[in-house]
Amino acid sequence: MVTTPDYEKTSVLVVDDDTDVLEFVEVSFAAHFRLFTAANGAQALTIIEREPIVVLVTDQRMPDVTGLE
């Protein structure tokens, strides 16, 4: 028997300094995942400290840090 994964329980964090991108992501994916968004590195780290993030999608060029950092 094949089971379908329950993606609604998957915690996804999207980090981008462009608020339009974050709004698009929320509208598009919030119904399908346990979605978190952050507008900068500091916000992202706060979320990561308190939530078990499974998937991280991040902008590479942001004012305070790079996505890799």
Side-chain angles (χ1 to χ4, degrees):
M1 182 169 127
V2 176
T3 59
T4 304
D6 189 2
Y7 292 112
E8 290 178 358
K9 293 181 182 178
T10 302
S11 298
V12 177
L13 172 58
V14 178
V15 186
D16 199 310
D17 60 319
D18 185 336
T19 56
D20 290 337
V21 170
L22 295 179
E23 287 178 25
F24 172 79
V25 167
E26 287 180 3
V27 168
S28 300
F29 299 105
H32 306 287
F33 299 96
R34 190 162 175 254
L35 184 67
F36 299 90
T37 60
N40 58 52
Q43 288 178 0
L45 290 173
T46 299
I47 293 168
I48 289 170
E49 288 174 358
R50 70 172 198 259
E51 299 294 337
I53 300 301
V54 175
V55 177
L56 173 64
V57 179
T58 182
D59 185 3
Q60 279 302 90
R61 287 185 247 157
M62 294 182 285
D64 58 339
V65 295
T66 68
L68 187 58
E69 291 173 318

